[in-house]
Amino acid sequence: MSSFTTFVINPAAGRGRVGQMLRQLETTIRQHARSSNLQITITQAPGHGLEVARSAPAGSRVVAVGGDGTVHEVVRGIAGSDKAIGVIPIGSGNDFARMLGLHRFSLEAALQTALHGSVHSVDLGLVNGQPYGASLGIGFDAAVARKALSAPTFLRGMPRYLYSIFGVLKELELPTLELVQNGQTVYQGPSLLVALMNGPAYGGGIPIVPDAVPTDGLISVAVAGAFSRLGVVGILPRLIVGQHVHHPRLHFFQGTEFTARFDRPVPAHSDGELLLPSHTYQVQVVPGGLRVIRP
């Protein structure tokens, strides 16, 4: 593997926290890297991180400094290549870092891991042909992700997600879903949300599919069926601690390929990044399709 390392720093991540840390970050990176085979790029706009990751040298390490949005761009930029992604988790959710066991690392520990950790492979998700790393959510949770964009800046992680949930409950209107797994319909009916996961958690640590494993070659799926507003409020305490899995209106599946069809365009997000609403989402897994840096 190449000794070259590219740092992709998103100053907007963590509601601007990364931007406030830029001088500290650059100084710390250069102190620990001690190498001329180093590039530090401060992203200027959405999509810049993807282009930086895509143009990084073959076989190199590309380190996302920020949150899941920054990670998502790097994942898209290196998917299908021999490059590996490292993460310095300074975002408001950090669910990809959580999937890799990095979310509680200090800045220096995360940096040491990114520079010197081992390269492993995890599964890569594809939604309508586009890569994602940890999570894909369709329906209610995507509306929540959109609402989170306007949440108070002091809210981070799960509190931000919960604030947004209550903000969209008043507009609840369930679409009808047909979920097809490898050509066979496994669910049909009203659906609050569908989560198609590589990792167990999204929304800043909510364990929507607690048993999901990013190295098993499978997409782990949770379908929430016909929930009322009161039902959503009732399931939240159980959902937060991962005790929702036996609820009769929650359905779980695993497989290599799924198609989610709706009776109207439904919003979605991959790794927290909003997608254009669509009637149909085709999802598949690429086993071991993403190289990652872990301790």
Side-chain angles (χ1 to χ4, degrees), residues 167-256:
V168 299
L169 269 178
K170 61 183 179 181
E171 302 170 358
L172 188 65
E173 184 180 346
L174 301 184
T176 298
L177 163 70
E178 180 188 17
L179 183 68
V180 178
Q181 178 182 350
N182 297 106
Q184 179 180 355
T185 298
V186 293
Y187 178 87
Q188 190 160 19
S191 176
L192 177 73
L193 62 85
V194 189
L196 300 105
M197 307 289 290
N198 279 329
Y202 65 8
I206 292 180
I208 184 69
V209 188
D211 295 332
V213 177
T215 55
D216 61 2
L218 299 170
I219 295 290
S220 296
V221 181
V223 176
F227 277 81
S228 64
R229 292 178 179 86
L230 188 60
V232 174
V233 173
I235 195 67
L236 280 178
R238 295 167 61 180
L239 177 61
I240 290 169
V241 295
Q243 298 298 316
H244 59 292
V245 295
H246 300 298
H247 193 287
R249 291 180 180 167
L250 278 160
H251 312 273
F252 295 89
F253 310 96
Q254 284 188 315
T256 58

Side-chain angles (χ1 to χ4, degrees), residues 9-277:
I9 303 179
N10 178 7
R15 294 288 152 177
R17 181 181 170 210
V18 173
Q20 297 168 3
M21 298 173 62
L22 282 181
R23 181 172 295 181
Q24 175 193 356
L25 286 167
E26 291 193 66
T27 299
T28 305
I29 288 169
R30 294 191 186 282
Q31 286 175 343
H32 284 268
R34 297 175 184 173
S35 169
S36 58
N37 294 329
L38 174 70
Q39 175 183 336
I40 298 175
T41 299
I42 313 299
T43 60
Q44 303 299 312
H48 188 191
L50 185 156
E51 295 304 325
V52 173
R54 186 174 287 162
S55 62
S60 62
R61 298 177 179 229
V62 185
V63 182
V65 184
D68 287 322
T70 315
V71 167
H72 183 68
E73 290 202 8
V74 172
V75 166
R76 290 185 62 194
I78 71 170
S81 76
D82 61 354
K83 304 170 195 177
I85 179 172
V87 185
I88 310 294
I90 321 178
S92 48
N94 299 323
D95 289 308
F96 186 89
R98 182 174 283 102
M99 183 180 80
L100 300 183
L102 302 173
H103 61 296
R104 298 190 187 279
F105 277 33
S106 67
L107 171 60
E108 294 213 354
L111 180 56
Q112 288 288 356
T113 298
L115 288 169
H116 307 297
S118 302
V119 177
H120 302 262
S121 293
V122 299
D123 300 334
L124 179 71
L126 297 176
V127 53
N128 294 341
Q130 294 299 314
Y132 70 91
S135 65
L136 171 67
I138 309 171
F140 181 76
D141 53 336
V144 169
R146 184 178 297 276
K147 183 69 174 177
L149 296 175
S150 59
T153 56
F154 64 86
L155 291 176
R156 301 179 186 275
M158 195 176 297
R160 187 178 196 84
Y161 192 75
L162 294 175
Y163 169 92
S164 305
I165 284 174
F166 287 103
V168 299
L169 269 178
K170 61 183 179 181
E171 302 170 358
L172 188 65
E173 184 180 346
L174 301 184
T176 298
L177 163 70
E178 180 188 17
L179 183 68
V180 178
Q181 178 182 350
N182 297 106
Q184 179 180 355
T185 298
V186 293
Y187 178 87
Q188 190 160 19
S191 176
L192 177 73
L193 62 85
V194 189
L196 300 105
M197 307 289 290
N198 279 329
Y202 65 8
I206 292 180
I208 184 69
V209 188
D211 295 332
V213 177
T215 55
D216 61 2
L218 299 170
I219 295 290
S220 296
V221 181
V223 176
F227 277 81
S228 64
R229 292 178 179 86
L230 188 60
V232 174
V233 173
I235 195 67
L236 280 178
R238 295 167 61 180
L239 177 61
I240 290 169
V241 295
Q243 298 298 316
H244 59 292
V245 295
H246 300 298
H247 193 287
R249 291 180 180 167
L250 278 160
H251 312 273
F252 295 89
F253 310 96
Q254 284 188 315
T256 58
E257 184 177 332
F258 291 89
T259 301
R261 298 190 184 98
F262 296 90
D263 62 344
R264 57 179 179 268
V266 174
H269 68 86
S270 58
D271 297 325
E273 294 299 292
L274 292 169
L275 308 178
L276 291 175

